[in-house]
Amino acid sequence: MQHHEEMYDVNPFKPKVGSMVDEVAVIVAILIGWGLLNFGFQALLNLLAETPTGEGVLTRLTFLSFPFHFWFTGQFLPLWFVLLCVIFNLYTDRVTERHNRKRNRTYE
Amino acid sequence: MNSGSANLWPIIIVAGVLTSFIVVGLINKSREGSDYLFAGRYIGRIGGGAAIASNWMSAASFLGMAGLIYLKGYFALAYVIGWTGGYVLLLVLMAGQIRRFGKYTAPDFVGERYGSSTARIVSAVVSIGISLIYTIAQFKGIGMIFAWLFGLDYSRGLLLGAAALVSYVIVAGMLGVARNQQLQYFVLIVSFIVPLMYLAHSLGYFWLLPQFGYGVAIQDLAREFQINFSSPFANGTPFEWVSLCFTLMVGTAGLPHVLSRFYIVPNVRDARWSVAWGLFFIALIYWSAPAYAVFARLMEASAGMPLPSGAARDMADIIVIKSAVMGQVPAWIVGILAAGATCAAFFTSAGLLITGASSFSHDIFYRILNPRASESTKMAVAKGATLVLAAIAVFCAMKPPGMIAEITATAFALAGNTIFPAFLLGIWWGRANGYGVVAGMLTGMVITFAEPVFGRFIPLVATIFPLTSSAFCGAPIVILIIIIVSVLTPPPPEAMRQFLAREVHGHLEE
């Protein structure tokens, strides 16, 4: 039974010390950035709507000659997702290097 | 749908492009001896990204997306966002861990992780279901392209296209053609962007980067024709937008043929970076799709048709090709566009049919029906299952239940309600067990089809689980069920929990 107590069960809300703490921290940060800009913007669009079809200040503004909301959703958000992936990868590369000095690098 | 005259140049170009893929595949094969499904050589991060993108690009991306934007404007941007944002979920929650776990098909992962053959069967059934629904959408695209190419009605176009597809798969399989996904992506992006450049140029808009220059066209639509194309909630409530978008995202992260992309690169780090490149390559096409839709509306409005007519609605799924024809783009450029669309639909449905059939042969026939079957029997079953799946898909595509992108979205909802929760908890919660995942996935299947089955009797069901968007409420419910049932039943095998802690998450510790 002693062995059983030592065993760690994977659980993101109770990450064990070491690399998994860093891993979970960056995942949470990326997911917040992912949800906030996407779902948050749609919520804002809805909040600022003046007509039932959603016209408002965000649809009247233009950016790069697009209506702002159309540009933000159709063009900026896909770019933002690419950026999130790049940030995640750069960060994970760093975490991996920090925790991985003793291991053979080809493993990662 | 329409029948007109045959389009000679486009037919020649489509046939030429498909043939050249076989020729290139044969040259690759004799040089490297790689197998049919996965290129065996090291292709690097960018190459891996191109492979992810070309594997992803289907008739839904190439045709269906622009079609829905053409009809529904801003509402359909939920497809653009859902099908790109899902990759963020896939990358941060699963990519590295699946790679370290070492099982790449959904039934293999679920069966191994949960140590349950019931769970394996359920996920095999789900995988086959997803492949089938996805293929129906591809077949609708193929049918419409072939109908347009040869000037036939839709059902004849579908039969002709399906026959061409099946013979293509058989010929490629018999010759052992290697699949060159980098070349495939190159063909797709060129065939999508070049006609769009021509179109933008001839309509007098910024053509060098047409995917970023069509903003003026949206304003012209509003100013000259009083068409408010970008109106946010004209075609759907905020709830409908968000639930569709979320469903497509979790579906992307749970789609079996996407998950299996992580082992074409040699290590976890390259796998991660190839996802980022892949998403960028996908975005290049998704930035452009709305431009086709806007130009089509603009040309129709100038021709005195401010709203798509009934006939135009029927043809909306090939609005990409139609807008090139309306814009008087030269026939050979339209041919290139049609060739890109045909490639996207052909390679996706070929891959899906093979995935579904091998899942049947390996996970259902071999594991359950006949464990003593030889390799050649398994192969024969897989080939037979490919044909059966293709026949079912043709039958269902005869009377298409919706737009290409909508049919595809149903497959995403099924993936998001079943495989996504199974993978998510399988990776991130050691305590999740076989009972939980079986209960959860069965619930997910019921939720996915709740609207057509129960919607008539219980209107509330149709509101919270719409067929294309059921995973917004469905996936959290399924996750909850897996957690509750797992806690109430015995924990999974200790060896698996240790494997998860040590190898999948503890890979960096000493």
Side-chain angles (χ1 to χ4, degrees):
Chain A
M1 276 324 282
Q2 199 187 354
H3 178 73
H4 203 81
E5 277 167 40
E6 280 174 17
M7 200 181 80
Y8 168 72
D9 247 336
V10 172
N11 185 336
F13 298 106
K14 286 180 261 170
K16 62 183 168 166
V17 281
S19 65
M20 203 174 148
V21 178
D22 293 340
E23 209 181 345
V24 171
V26 66
I27 289 175
V28 169
I30 296 283
L31 287 182
I32 289 174
W34 167 84
L36 214 60
L37 260 70
N38 173 30
F39 298 115
F41 180 76
Q42 310 309 324
L44 188 69
L45 194 58
N46 190 31
L47 208 68
L48 298 178
E50 292 155 15
T51 66
T53 56
E55 315 292 339
V57 61
L58 291 174
T59 64
R60 280 194 300 273
L61 285 174
T62 56
F63 186 78
L64 299 173
S65 72
F66 281 90
F68 179 78
H69 71 296
F70 199 94
W71 173 81
F72 189 91
T73 304
Q75 310 220 303
F76 174 71
L77 279 179
L79 181 68
W80 172 242
F81 295 145
V82 176
L83 286 177
L84 285 177
C85 287
V86 170
I87 295 168
F88 175 80
N89 280 339
L90 288 175
Y91 190 85
T92 312
D93 282 354
R94 251 183 52 202
V95 170
T96 319
E97 261 153 41
R98 203 162 64 223
H99 289 281
N100 205 23
R101 293 222 173 88
K102 291 177 194 165
R103 272 223 181 172
N104 181 358
R105 285 284 297 280
T106 54
Y107 181 73
E108 255 301 294
Chain B
M1 293 165 212
N2 87 326
S3 48
S5 53
N7 296 282
L8 187 61
W9 274 108
I11 294 176
I12 294 172
I13 289 168
V14 169
V17 169
L18 287 173
T19 316
S20 62
F21 269 107
I22 291 193
V23 174
V24 171
L26 285 175
I27 296 169
N28 279 356
K29 175 201 170 197
S30 52
R31 209 169 43 203
E32 291 154 20
S34 52
D35 61 340
Y36 175 54
L37 274 177
F38 301 105
R41 69 215 148 96
Y42 178 65
I43 50 175
R45 292 170 177 181
I46 299 180
I52 287 176
S54 72
N55 183 57
W56 172 256
M57 239 16 102
S58 69
S61 305
F62 208 95
L63 300 171
M65 188 179 259
L68 263 175
I69 298 171
Y70 161 78
L71 288 182
K72 299 195 167 177
Y74 184 88
F75 179 75
L77 287 185
Y79 285 89
V80 177
I81 304 310
W83 284 339
T84 49
Y87 276 88
V88 178
L89 283 185
L90 187 59
L91 175 67
V92 304
L93 292 174
M94 295 177 177
Q97 287 79 6
I98 291 175
R99 169 86 205 188
R100 280 183 227 117
F101 194 97
K103 295 287 175 205
Y104 305 104
T105 72
D108 268 353
F109 175 88
V110 171
E112 184 83 10
R113 159 65 182 82
Y114 295 101
S116 151
S117 53
T118 319
R120 175 191 286 271
I121 298 164
V122 174
S123 63
V125 170
V126 168
S127 295
I128 296 170
I130 292 168
S131 298
L132 187 62
I133 299 172
Y134 216 110
T135 309
I136 295 170
Q138 305 306 313
F139 274 21
K140 185 185 180 194
I142 292 175
M144 291 184 77
I145 296 169
F146 273 72
W148 174 79
L149 278 177
F150 292 93
L152 302 168
D153 56 34
Y154 170 72
S155 47
R156 286 188 195 181
L158 174 61
L159 289 176
L160 184 66
L165 170 71
V166 170
S167 2
Y168 192 79
V169 171
I170 292 174
V171 169
M174 282 196 319
L175 297 175
V177 172
R179 191 171 165 192
N180 187 329
Q181 295 193 301
Q182 288 73 45
L183 176 70
Q184 203 177 309
Y185 178 75
F186 180 75
V187 168
L188 290 179
I189 185 84
V190 168
S191 63
F192 204 65
I193 303 287
V194 168
L196 186 62
M197 284 176 152
Y198 191 97
L199 204 55
H201 184 69
S202 68
L203 291 172
Y205 295 103
F206 180 63
W207 62 275
L208 263 176
L209 287 170
Q211 56 268 66
F212 303 112
Y214 65 93
V216 186
I218 296 181
Q219 294 193 21
D220 286 350
L221 262 179
R223 199 170 37 235
E224 289 173 31
F225 305 102
Q226 283 76 47
I227 296 171
N228 197 345
F229 186 79
S230 67
S231 191
F233 304 121
N235 290 293
T237 62
F239 172 79
E240 286 169 340
W241 199 99
V242 167
S243 59
L244 175 62
C245 181
F246 185 85
T247 298
L248 298 173
M249 283 170 163
V250 292
T252 303
L255 217 61
H257 77 278
V258 176
L259 292 169
S260 65
R261 286 290 93 183
F262 296 124
Y263 70 118
I264 53 171
V265 286
N267 57 50
V268 178
R269 184 177 290 204
D270 283 356
R272 276 194 280 107
W273 279 103
S274 65
V275 173
W277 278 107
L279 180 56
F280 174 69
F281 289 142
I282 291 167
L284 278 182
I285 288 186
Y286 283 13
W287 280 317
S288 322
Y292 273 107
V294 172
F295 289 154
R297 288 292 292 270
L298 196 65
M299 285 184 287
E300 284 185 356
S302 333
M305 193 169 79
L307 279 176
S309 63
R313 283 177 177 277
D314 287 343
M315 298 301 285
D317 264 331
I318 53 166
I319 196 65
V320 170
I321 293 175
K322 260 186 66 188
S323 66
V325 174
M326 269 191 286
Q328 285 163 353
V329 173
W332 64 275
I333 296 186
V334 184
I336 292 175
L337 186 60
T342 313
C343 287
F346 261 43
F347 293 127
T348 308
S349 24
L352 287 164
L353 288 173
I354 291 169
T355 311
S358 61
S359 187
F360 177 78
S361 148
H362 180 72
D363 298 304
I364 294 181
F365 176 75
Y366 174 68
R367 293 262 172 182
I368 306 159
L369 298 178
N370 185 0
R372 270 175 280 174
S374 64
E375 275 304 311
S376 61
T377 319
K378 274 171 68 179
M379 194 57 111
V381 170
K383 283 177 183 165
T386 309
L387 291 179
V388 172
L389 280 178
I392 299 174
V394 169
F395 179 78
C396 297
M398 270 295 164
K399 281 207 178 354
M403 303 270 296
I404 292 175
E406 291 170 337
I407 304 171
T408 313
T410 309
F412 278 76
L414 182 56
N417 280 330
T418 53
I419 294 176
F420 175 75
F423 270 76
L424 184 72
L425 291 175
I427 288 167
W428 285 103
W429 193 44
R431 184 65 179 75
N433 67 15
Y435 305 102
V437 85
V438 170
M441 286 202 294
L442 291 177
T443 315
M445 288 160 85
V446 174
I447 287 177
T448 308
F449 300 105
E451 188 201 332
V453 179
F454 308 114
R456 250 171 299 165
F457 319 111
I458 316 164
L460 181 70
V461 167
T463 319
I464 56 175
F465 302 127
L467 189 56
T468 56
S469 327
S470 57
F472 181 60
C473 297
I477 293 177
V478 171
I479 288 173
L480 207 63
I481 287 177
I482 297 180
I483 292 176
I484 293 170
V485 176
S486 293
V487 170
L488 297 177
T489 47
E494 191 171 314
M496 175 48 65
R497 297 159 75 188
Q498 289 192 355
F499 173 76
L500 268 187
R502 291 217 183 111
E503 292 301 322
V504 178
H505 292 283
H507 57 107
L508 297 173
E509 317 304 329
E510 273 305 292

